[in-house]
Amino acid sequence: MLFRKKNPFLEDDLASVLKACGKGNAQAQRLLFQQFFGYVKSICLRYSSSPEESEDVLNEAFLKVFQNLSKYDDKQPFKPWLRTVVVNTAISHYRKLNKKQRDTVALEDAPVARFDDNILENITADEILELVQRLRPDYRNVFLMYAVDGYGHREISEILVINEATVRSHYARARARLQHLVKQYYPDLFPTDWEMKSYKQNEN
């Protein structure tokens, strides 16, 4: 061909890429997918129980993004809107599966001790993610939404359709279970008298 059809968007201009995506331009959609694949993938991995499940969530999330771009307010940053779509997709996916997963150790048996956030600074992000994925899905979702993605308790209760008291309870239990897992897999991070101090603090 002597003449090639000019792209209706600029690759380094997100606004024009989004506009082209909204009109169903396959090339623009492919570019958007490539540009935000890593970001979306990281969210999907957090909210999924396995890499295979995260792939399903990722594909469904991008499909919803392309289908709902007309609802995106281009006066607002794109990434927070994208994150909301992905998180909501992951929650919907969890509901559809309706898994009844349980911890290998009952939460009632896990020590409800003080949680030292400084301990997590000595663990890599991948190691933390691996521990978080061992939480029961309903507790994991609340923990991630609050501690990682910055949702408030009321927002979480509205998205998950549960009351705020349940959200707070799930978050507290998730932290207790996570503390137990950190102690189980990384005992060297804890001082030898940690359990005794925790016990005394809880008694007070």
Side-chain angles (χ1 to χ4, degrees), residues 33-104:
F33 180 88
Q34 293 170 347
Q35 288 181 339
F36 290 95
F37 174 84
Y39 178 70
V40 173
K41 179 71 170 180
S42 66
I43 299 174
C44 294
L45 282 171
R46 290 202 302 267
Y47 282 87
S48 302
S49 300
S50 68
E52 293 75 19
E53 184 181 331
S54 73
E55 291 289 340
D56 292 337
V57 176
L58 182 144
N59 292 327
E60 187 177 346
F62 270 110
L63 179 60
K64 287 187 176 181
V65 167
F66 296 137
Q67 291 175 338
N68 292 280
L69 273 175
S70 60
K71 300 177 182 178
Y72 165 62
D73 181 1
D74 59 9
K75 295 183 177 62
Q76 302 298 323
F78 176 68
K79 248 186 172 181
W81 181 84
L82 174 62
R83 182 194 64 185
T84 299
V85 173
V86 178
V87 171
N88 287 343
T89 302
I91 297 302
S92 297
H93 187 81
Y94 159 70
R95 283 186 183 139
K96 284 190 292 185
L97 292 177
N98 195 26
K99 291 181 177 179
K100 300 298 182 182
Q101 298 178 352
R102 301 194 62 85
D103 289 318
T104 54

Side-chain angles (χ1 to χ4, degrees), residues 64-199:
K64 287 187 176 181
V65 167
F66 296 137
Q67 291 175 338
N68 292 280
L69 273 175
S70 60
K71 300 177 182 178
Y72 165 62
D73 181 1
D74 59 9
K75 295 183 177 62
Q76 302 298 323
F78 176 68
K79 248 186 172 181
W81 181 84
L82 174 62
R83 182 194 64 185
T84 299
V85 173
V86 178
V87 171
N88 287 343
T89 302
I91 297 302
S92 297
H93 187 81
Y94 159 70
R95 283 186 183 139
K96 284 190 292 185
L97 292 177
N98 195 26
K99 291 181 177 179
K100 300 298 182 182
Q101 298 178 352
R102 301 194 62 85
D103 289 318
T104 54
V105 177
L107 279 169
E108 291 73 18
D109 297 332
V112 183
R114 63 182 174 87
F115 191 94
D116 188 353
D117 290 308
N118 293 328
I119 290 176
L120 296 183
E121 295 178 359
N122 299 311
I123 307 175
T124 68
D126 287 341
E127 290 170 335
I128 294 173
L129 175 61
E130 184 177 348
L131 294 181
V132 170
Q133 288 180 323
R134 292 177 180 269
L135 299 174
R136 250 176 56 174
D138 48 351
Y139 296 158
R140 180 187 66 214
N141 291 340
V142 169
F143 180 85
L144 288 171
M145 293 178 76
Y146 183 80
V148 178
D149 289 310
Y151 289 89
H153 289 132
R154 180 173 297 181
E155 289 179 292
I156 297 172
S157 71
E158 292 173 352
I159 293 173
L160 298 181
V161 195
I162 56 179
N163 60 53
E164 279 192 60
T166 301
V167 171
R168 295 177 187 277
S169 174
H170 282 6
Y171 181 67
R173 288 182 176 275
R175 282 172 61 90
R177 178 63 178 144
L178 187 58
Q179 179 77 85
H180 175 81
L181 290 170
V182 173
K183 180 68 169 63
Q184 178 181 346
Y185 288 95
Y186 304 96
D188 294 342
L189 298 179
F190 292 78
T192 54
D193 61 344
W194 177 83
E195 290 186 353
M196 181 59 69
K197 286 182 178 179
S198 297
Y199 174 78

